[in-house]
Amino acid sequence: MAKQTEETFFGIDVSKNHLDLAQWGIEEVLRHDNDATGIATLVEIMSTKTAVTLIVVEASGGFEQVMVTELAAASLPIVVVNPTRVRNFARAKGQVAKTDKIDAQMIASFAQAVRPEVRTLKTQDQQLIKALVTRRRQLIDMQTAEKNRHTTVNPELRPRLEKHLDWLATELAEIEEDLNDWINKNAQWREKRTSLESVPGVGQVTSFTLLAELPELGTLSRQKIAALVGLAPFNRDSGCSRGRRHIFGGRSDVRSVLYMAALSGIRYNPVLKAFYDRLIAKGKLPKVALTACMRKLLTILNAIVRDGSAWISA
């Protein structure tokens, strides 16, 4: 029997072939195919529900993207969450068994208990930029792996490896050309990119990644944007013990480019260099000081995008 409540929470477990829909407080789980017909049916069902408070779905390697886009287009409150959060929630409740039906019910329970914040989803153009940035990263990973094999590969196979390296270089150049074209076609992105790259230490790769992976840049406070990226330090204290602060979670791809940008920044950006030197003089470990520089750089970029301004050198 359904629980009497004015709020309704839904969880959707996504696989390559199926979408399992559960409502918090109701045992029945509905299954639909993860195709155009199944998604259209799901959107129709959800659109007829009254007072839909929240729909939660786990990130599922891209299998959820079309469904999420369609639900968002229907003005439904959909949130995509990290599967680890739901799994930890399940463990806390003592739920060890795992099936599609159980997962859907657990996601719905997570939605009701945790109520993750609904954020504006990426537009189709943003999704394309993200796909291009992801593909670029994959090509660089393949390029690095092939270069590492170059000295150990059998000499008879080296021409094949070099041929593949040439193909990767060509493909990488075409991907970067596509990225530049798409960004230049959009006035807002073009202005953001100009603002971002005006900051010493921030180059093309960093701006590409921030545009694709962090559309919230410029819309949140410095504390919230740092937490979203995973640069807000967490306490590790217990009783009288005071542990070191650690960063955790967030968007690892964004952190990776900020790390490289901060490394460059502590050499060429006068603000970051002075900040880093000041922390080192106070006895901070280089890694701690560099992480603080990443957070400061993110704060600077957030303010620049928010204000629509550019870097002003001291």
Side-chain angles (χ1 to χ4, degrees):
M1 180 179 295
K3 294 182 180 180
Q4 298 299 316
T5 177
E6 294 180 357
E7 298 179 308
T8 54
F9 299 87
F10 295 89
I12 303 176
D13 181 67
V14 179
S15 65
K16 180 179 180 181
N17 298 317
H18 298 111
L19 304 169
D20 292 282
L21 173 67
Q23 180 177 344
W24 178 70
I26 294 180
E27 186 175 351
E28 181 184 15
V29 175
L30 303 178
R31 168 165 284 194
H32 303 279
D33 292 334
N34 193 359
D35 57 19
T37 302
I39 291 171
T41 302
L42 183 63
V43 171
E44 183 179 357
I45 291 172
M46 299 305 296
S47 297
T48 59
K49 299 281 186 181
T50 57
V52 176
T53 306
L54 190 62
I55 306 167
V56 173
V57 58
E58 293 177 331
S60 304
F63 292 128
E64 81 287 352
Q65 287 184 359
V66 175
M67 178 205 66
V68 169
T69 300
E70 293 297 326
L71 287 171
S75 300
L76 290 163
I78 178 80
V79 180
V80 181
V81 300
N82 190 315
T84 303
R85 295 183 66 188
V86 179
R87 201 63 206 146
N88 288 340
F89 177 78
R91 290 194 185 98
K93 295 191 70 172
Q95 179 63 60
V96 179
K98 192 178 188 303
T99 66
D100 292 341
K101 178 179 178 179
I102 291 173
D103 285 350
Q105 292 171 329
M106 189 55 61
I107 296 170
S109 182
F110 173 89
Q112 187 277 330
V114 179
R115 307 189 185 205
E117 180 184 355
V118 177
R119 296 187 183 278
T120 303
L121 297 176
K122 295 182 177 71
T123 64
Q124 289 187 339
D125 285 346
Q126 284 174 324
Q127 291 176 15
L128 175 59
I129 295 295
K130 177 177 170 60
L132 287 169
V133 168
T134 299
R135 183 56 181 163
R136 180 188 181 279
R137 186 164 54 248
Q138 292 168 345
L139 289 169
I140 288 179
D141 289 343
M142 286 188 279
Q143 195 178 55
T144 302
E146 290 290 66
K147 286 179 179 178
N148 289 339
R149 296 186 187 104
H150 195 271
T151 55
T152 58
V153 72
N154 188 300
E156 296 294 325
L157 298 179
R158 192 162 291 155
R160 291 177 179 270
L161 187 147
E162 290 172 350
K163 183 179 179 181
H164 189 212
L165 280 170
D166 290 340
W167 180 87
L168 287 170
T170 301
E171 188 70 9
L172 187 59
E174 290 179 2
I175 287 284
E176 291 179 347
E177 184 178 351
D178 287 344
L179 276 166
N180 279 311
D181 288 344
W182 275 99
I183 290 172
N184 289 332
K185 286 177 184 177
N186 186 301
Q188 186 179 16
W189 290 348
R190 189 168 63 247
E191 291 171 4
K192 278 188 178 181
R193 176 184 178 179
T194 301
S195 296
L196 291 170
E197 293 184 10
S198 70
V199 179
V202 176
Q204 177 177 272
V205 175
T206 303
S207 65
F208 282 166
T209 304
L210 291 174
L211 288 171
E213 304 279 1
L214 197 61
E216 300 90 348
L217 192 67
T219 66
L220 301 176
S221 68
R222 61 188 179 87
Q223 294 89 352
K224 287 185 176 180
I225 201 71
L228 185 63
V229 173
L231 285 174
F234 290 93
N235 295 349
R236 295 181 64 88
D237 300 337
S238 179
C240 296
S241 174
R242 296 292 180 268
R244 287 182 181 173
R245 276 42 176 167
H246 294 270
I247 58 174
F248 178 77
R251 300 182 185 177
S252 58
D253 294 334
V254 175
R255 283 202 310 278
S256 295
V257 296
L258 286 176
Y259 175 81
M260 298 305 297
L263 273 179
S264 176
I266 60 177
R267 296 181 63 189
Y268 303 110
N269 186 313
V271 173
L272 289 184
K273 185 178 187 306
F275 183 62
Y276 179 83
D277 291 343
R278 194 158 60 247
L279 291 175
I280 293 297
K282 289 181 178 179
K284 299 294 184 183
L285 294 173
K287 184 176 180 180
V288 173
L290 184 58
T291 301
C293 287
M294 291 167 61
R295 188 161 56 250
K296 187 172 184 64
L297 176 59
L298 178 61
T299 299
I300 292 170
L301 297 174
N302 190 55
I304 280 178
V305 172
R306 181 196 63 212
D307 299 338
S309 59
W311 172 262
I312 302 174
S313 59

